[in-house]
Amino acid sequence: MSDHSPNYQPVSFAGLPAYDETERLARARAFRAMMARRRTIRDFSDKPVPRGVIEEALLTAGGAPSGANKQPWHFCVVEDPGLKRRVREAAEAEERTFYAGKAGQAWLADLAPLGTDPAKPFLETAPVLIVVFQESYGLDPVTGRRHKHYYLQESVGLACGFLLAALTNAGLATLTHTPSPMGFLRDLLGRPTREKPVMIVVTGHPAPGATVPKAALAKKPLEELASWF
């Protein structure tokens, strides 16, 4: 039942046409096939990406659902070569500690088939780094009063998923990079302490001959990843 109170307004669902079931299934399969081509690569070209493409992807991410519609995220787009170099240097410093033993043997053993190591040249080579921040709380722009955010991790996770899908749809390659800890990103980008860096979405075009680890191609079949009741 629709709510026609003053706090609601009618919305057009013209963008959701009434496909017949055959076409609906075909579209679902086509989208899955497109997203299946999204691979985490580490070999990027330095070919530029038009700003408009990134802006549209960010607007898609910003349309993700969030707890109480608080939209507890901020995206910093890094394109400046000097700043990308500083991000790489700081990230690699953390990664050297991580691979030197901080991660623990079990985690390192799980990473071994992927062939990762402390070197992160893609942070400089790729044309665009999108640093995703999670806002612990909001601030009223007029009064400066704090207001609470809800379901922070879930909301920001949804936005990141929307962002990856939008970049993939635009024909760009992506990599999610999560150095630990990531506080240096807040310092380098001048973000407030109420914001926590969550990940770097590295995006651009794959370099010629780019590869992915064979181990990363293994995905759970439907009978393992879902249950029907």
Side-chain angles (χ1 to χ4, degrees):
M1 183 174 180
S2 298
D3 190 324
H4 296 291
S5 72
N7 291 330
Y8 286 75
Q9 69 177 47
V11 62
S12 170
F13 286 95
L16 298 175
Y19 301 121
D20 62 39
E21 295 311 306
T22 299
E23 186 172 5
R24 196 180 304 280
L25 179 59
R27 291 177 66 87
R29 285 175 171 164
F31 185 78
R32 176 171 70 88
M34 179 192 73
M35 292 305 296
R37 293 194 293 271
R38 194 216 72 83
R39 295 296 177 191
T40 295
I41 70 164
R42 292 173 175 80
D43 304 312
F44 282 87
S45 161
D46 61 0
K47 180 181 176 182
V49 173
R51 178 169 178 166
V53 174
I54 301 301
E55 289 177 345
E56 291 298 328
L58 291 173
L59 288 169
T60 296
S66 61
N69 195 36
K70 294 295 186 177
Q71 305 165 60
W73 46 63
H74 186 85
F75 304 92
C76 287
V77 181
V78 182
E79 298 176 309
D80 177 75
L83 186 52
K84 286 195 296 180
R85 184 177 305 112
R86 292 170 65 193
V87 170
R88 176 186 177 181
E89 290 170 350
E92 288 183 339
E94 298 294 354
E95 294 290 302
R96 284 191 291 271
T97 301
F98 177 88
Y99 282 93
K102 178 182 176 182
Q105 290 305 307
W107 195 345
L108 294 176
D110 285 337
L111 288 173
L114 303 179
T116 57
D117 59 39
K120 309 298 176 186
F122 50 78
L123 292 174
E124 273 195 88
T125 307
V128 180
L129 309 179
I130 303 173
V131 184
V132 183
F133 286 88
Q134 171 182 297
E135 295 182 346
S136 300
Y137 55 87
L139 290 177
D140 185 286
V142 177
T143 66
R145 290 185 60 187
R146 294 187 182 190
H147 57 80
K148 187 176 180 179
H149 286 331
Y150 308 92
Y151 302 107
L152 291 174
Q153 293 180 332
E154 296 87 346
S155 299
V156 176
L158 286 165
C160 289
F162 274 43
L163 177 60
L164 291 175
L167 293 169
T168 301
N169 186 57
L172 296 175
T174 54
L175 163 70
T176 54
H177 181 48
T178 53
S180 179
M182 287 188 274
F184 68 88
L185 291 166
R186 183 174 53 233
D187 298 335
L188 284 175
L189 299 173
R191 300 308 303 169
T193 56
R194 65 188 176 93
E195 292 184 0
K196 174 186 176 182
V198 173
M199 71 174 67
I200 304 173
V201 176
V202 184
T203 190
H205 302 276
T211 61
V212 297
K214 290 182 179 179
L217 301 178
K219 303 299 180 184
K220 291 182 178 180
L222 182 61
E223 57 268 23
E224 290 186 24
L225 63 85
S227 300
W228 266 253
F229 296 92

